[in-house]
Amino acid sequence: YYVSTTGSDLNPGTQSQPLKTIQRAADLANAGATVYVQPGTYPEHVSTKKGGTGESARIIFKANGLVTMKGFHIYHPYVTIDGFDITGHQGGYRGHITVVSTNSSKGDYCKIINNTIRDGLPQTQGIIFERINGRISNNCVIKNNLLTNLRYTFLGIDGDNHLIEDNILEKLNSSDYIYLFGHNHVFRHNIFRQGNSIEGTGNHPDWLQTFGDNCGVSSGHLFEENYIEGLDPGVQLGQINSGGVGSSQCPGLSNDIKDITFRRNVFANIGHN
């Protein structure tokens, strides 16, 4: 399918008769389809309607040049988001890209690659995995993206076996770089830089954070050969919390926040903790 700002959603979506919206292409696409989006600005936040059936039969959304839009909700498996310029979404604690698990479908095996997510609005995360009724998406790849100048958490990671590799995350703005939950995630060859806190926001940001007081689980992760630079004195390197002391929901310590390995990382100009 082809999408162009000069197209029409009454068209069949061919190269000569493109659709006008990415959402219409998402409505039509079946396993094995690629949606090619031509350059331009598309003021839409797209929700998948179907997914792929395997690695060789994915549904791929591909930007053909500079395509500016508001992001995606990935509700289905084997979906690829490739090369978009994403900004302007007001998420209400959700993400520019949200990988969602419902009672009927999950965003397993998603690929989020080569995108720019930038200039975020308050309370809108960069990329987040959303758990619904205990269901969560697994086995995704987040690779070669730039996340910059957001105003809420950059990565809200949950589920199992995600690979986060070769990304650049910068300009923290009193948010947190990573909320870390689930099991067996690999963070490799990422660059984190320009972590700043903003006076008066009431938040102490972290490079890496877990919470023990919401019955969370976080174990088996690997941080390998990442570069973390320029966290100002208001930004904590990390708060890996397993304590729910004082919480009626999860009193005491969690047995499920453990076994996080850091090896061959570089930390430079870290101001606090």
Side-chain angles (χ1 to χ4, degrees), residues 54-103:
E55 190 60 44
S56 62
R58 305 180 70 86
I59 292 181
I60 300 171
F61 296 87
K62 171 71 174 174
N64 266 353
L66 179 58
V67 176
T68 300
M69 49 90 70
K70 293 186 176 183
F72 290 84
H73 273 71
I74 302 173
Y75 287 95
H76 300 86
Y78 292 102
V79 169
T80 298
I81 310 298
D82 184 358
F84 291 86
D85 174 48
I86 298 172
T87 188
H89 181 52
Q90 181 62 62
Y93 299 101
R94 302 183 96 177
H96 290 82
I97 297 179
T98 303
V99 187
V100 188
S101 299
T102 68
N103 290 332

Side-chain angles (χ1 to χ4, degrees), residues 106 170 216 224:
K106 298 197 300 177
E170 63 181 16
E224 181 177 60

Side-chain angles (χ1 to χ4, degrees), residues 124-187:
T124 304
Q125 299 195 41
I127 300 170
I128 179 175
F129 289 80
E130 189 171 271
R131 182 183 293 269
I132 297 179
N133 295 330
R135 288 167 57 83
I136 193 71
S137 303
N138 306 310
N139 301 299
C140 288
V141 174
I142 300 173
K143 185 178 176 70
N144 199 36
N145 302 283
L146 170 65
L147 285 75
T148 182
N149 197 38
L150 305 184
R151 297 175 65 189
Y152 204 53
T153 306
F154 281 52
L155 298 175
I157 303 298
D158 201 350
D160 295 344
N161 306 312
H162 301 313
L163 173 64
I164 299 94
E165 184 176 48
D166 296 326
N167 303 284
I168 296 175
L169 300 90
E170 63 181 16
K171 300 181 182 178
L172 193 61
N173 294 334
S174 279
S175 301
D176 300 286
Y177 272 132
I178 306 168
Y179 286 168
L180 182 64
F181 296 100
H183 305 94
N184 305 320
H185 308 313
V186 175
F187 292 77

